[in-house]
Amino acid sequence: MKFPPRQIRRVLIANRGEIAVRIQRACRELGIEVVQVYSEADRQTMAVQLADYSVCIGTARSSESYLRADIVVEAAKAFNADAIHPGYGFLSENASFAHLCEQQGLVFIGPPGDVIAMMGDKASARAMALAAGVPITPGSSGTVATADAALAVAGTIGYPVILKAVAGGGGRGMRIVEQEASLAEHFEAASREAKAAFGDGTMYVEKYLIDIRHVEIQILSDGDNVLHLGERDCSSQRRNQKLVEESPSPGLSAAMRSEMGEAAVRLCRHVGYRSAGTIECIVDPARKRFYFMEMNTRIQVEHPVTECVTGIDIVKEQIRIASGERLSLRQDDIHIRGHAIECRINAEDPGNGFAPSPGRLDELHFPGGPGVRIDSHAYPGYTVPPNYDSLIAKLICWGNDRDEALARMQRALAELRVEGITTTAPFLAQLLASDTFRQGAVHTRFVEQFIQESAR
């Protein structure tokens, strides 16, 4: 598959926060100029301060700024940008936006729009995985239009089940159903939530597996050469929101790690994938099996842990692929070195049900030292707005092995100083100090159980 090379001299970043700063850094190292869009709430953000050019595209409401594909494209053309990088969230997995960029002569730094549409629809993605010989969890063969149809599927595969919106993400449009009596109510609620959040309330049904791991495979593909960069364990999550990620996963055998990597590559070849992407899987340790869950056709929040253990700059590779360059690496060149852990530092109050804690950062001191990386857009005096995701920093620690990475993370969390708002950092330090986490025995219900036990 051939893609004509196109030199990228100027990139518009259609995102905000830490990922906008991260993309800017990659662009600068590649000698590419940056145009940064921002909303009225983000006028003072670090991404705006660092950019070569910046432009306000609307109000604090995402629907009137970062989600306005037409305004983003207009800004790119006004500033003579060659390409648009969507980051994660917002327009990053919007197939129509990718098509619009292509129609307007702009390079979309991501996969082709048709592939985004195919893999963004979770029912379609399951069908593609099945066709590529990748195992999927038992569930509906396609979408289910009504609660009665969902009841029929659940009756066949058995409870508990999980209802998922085909366009869902971040835990929205998802409900776990333990028994038949509550399925109809959960179905209607999940569908309404998905319709409000994503404009699509279509649902499907899967068997809900207990005490499983959430493990994802990082992919890079130039359309011909498809590589996997190992896995990330994202099992430490609260209400389907990831809190801690690490690579490699402490719960995989060498055989399963190899099998999952090969399956991810096979699926990407099958759908003609090009760019960076992630194949997300459920791992059932008891049965020693894994199942395809979904694909993220974009850069992931947790990509730094993979960069730390492979030495590969994933964002740079995204840009190079989008410009038509070939990957210079082969699978045999990919080596996992050491261990990396990422903690998401959110402006939230764990003592108050993880309620948002926006406000002014009166004091902010980030940790440093060997093996410590910070990805952030925050600085002393910055005001965290209430309008967006609460992530203010990603703290990533690398070590020669998991014990060293974990010790560095605990040290780094102790060094972190934040005044003016409440963050999740103290909670994360307690979580990582637990016997369950230290032993690497985490699963997707681990955090909720930890919170319940700590409250006793």
Side-chain angles (χ1 to χ4, degrees), residues 241-257:
Q241 296 288 330
K242 301 167 186 174
L243 301 180
V244 182
E245 302 97 356
E246 57 183 312
S247 182
S249 169
L252 294 190
S253 65
M256 182 174 285
R257 177 172 289 115

Side-chain angles (χ1 to χ4, degrees), residues 83-131:
I84 294 179
H85 198 306
Y88 53 70
F90 294 132
L91 296 169
S92 62
E93 293 182 284
N94 186 311
S96 297
F97 178 61
H99 286 310
L100 179 61
C101 290
E102 295 163 5
Q103 291 165 6
Q104 295 297 317
L106 295 162
V107 174
F108 177 78
I109 301 178
D114 291 344
V115 176
I116 294 176
M118 181 193 308
M119 301 309 288
D121 180 302
K122 292 181 175 58
S124 169
R126 279 169 58 88
M128 290 298 103
L130 193 62

Side-chain angles (χ1 to χ4, degrees), residues 74-333:
E74 285 178 14
K77 298 189 70 152
F79 281 84
N80 295 315
D82 304 298
I84 294 179
H85 198 306
Y88 53 70
F90 294 132
L91 296 169
S92 62
E93 293 182 284
N94 186 311
S96 297
F97 178 61
H99 286 310
L100 179 61
C101 290
E102 295 163 5
Q103 291 165 6
Q104 295 297 317
L106 295 162
V107 174
F108 177 78
I109 301 178
D114 291 344
V115 176
I116 294 176
M118 181 193 308
M119 301 309 288
D121 180 302
K122 292 181 175 58
S124 169
R126 279 169 58 88
M128 290 298 103
L130 193 62
V134 179
I136 62 172
T137 50
S140 55
S141 58
T143 60
V144 288
T146 65
D148 286 342
L151 279 165
V153 174
T156 301
I157 64 177
Y159 291 86
V161 299
I162 184 166
L163 305 174
K164 291 184 178 181
V166 296
R172 288 174 292 182
M174 292 174 58
R175 295 291 190 281
I176 298 167
V177 183
E178 301 283 352
Q179 54 190 359
E180 181 179 340
S182 61
L183 188 143
E185 178 185 351
H186 283 302
F187 182 92
E188 299 300 335
S191 182
R192 284 196 304 270
E193 183 178 57
K195 178 69 175 177
F198 309 107
D200 186 352
T202 309
M203 305 295 295
Y204 69 102
V205 185
E206 283 184 359
K207 178 70 176 175
Y208 182 66
L209 301 174
I210 307 298
D211 295 341
I212 49 91
R213 287 182 179 270
H214 180 162
V215 179
E216 58 191 30
I217 308 294
Q218 176 67 59
I219 287 291
L220 281 177
S221 173
D222 61 17
D224 289 318
N225 184 16
V226 185
L227 308 175
H228 72 84
L229 309 185
E231 83 283 355
R232 297 184 288 259
D233 196 310
C234 307
S235 304
S236 297
Q237 48 187 261
R238 174 184 170 271
R239 296 183 177 177
N240 299 304
Q241 296 288 330
K242 301 167 186 174
L243 301 180
V244 182
E245 302 97 356
E246 57 183 312
S247 182
S249 169
L252 294 190
S253 65
M256 182 174 285
R257 177 172 289 115
S258 176
E259 187 180 354
M260 289 179 71
E262 291 170 3
V265 168
R266 196 162 61 245
L267 176 55
C268 288
R269 288 192 189 281
H270 181 72
V271 301
Y273 196 80
R274 179 170 60 94
S275 190
T278 305
I279 305 297
E280 301 210 14
C281 299
I282 290 170
V283 174
D284 187 343
R287 295 174 178 82
K288 297 181 180 180
R289 297 188 65 182
F290 73 92
Y291 307 94
F292 170 81
M293 182 168 59
E294 63 185 27
M295 183 174 193
N296 287 299
T297 56
R298 54 171 168 79
I299 194 75
Q300 290 278 90
V301 177
E302 58 271 20
H303 75 275
V305 292
T306 297
E307 293 184 330
C308 286
V309 297
T310 62
I312 296 170
D313 188 317
I314 297 171
V315 179
K316 280 186 183 178
E317 294 301 328
Q318 266 192 305
I319 297 169
R320 290 181 176 127
I321 291 168
S323 69
E325 291 187 32
R326 297 290 176 217
L327 289 167
S328 61
L329 299 170
R330 292 292 181 265
Q331 193 64 56
D332 290 345
D333 300 321

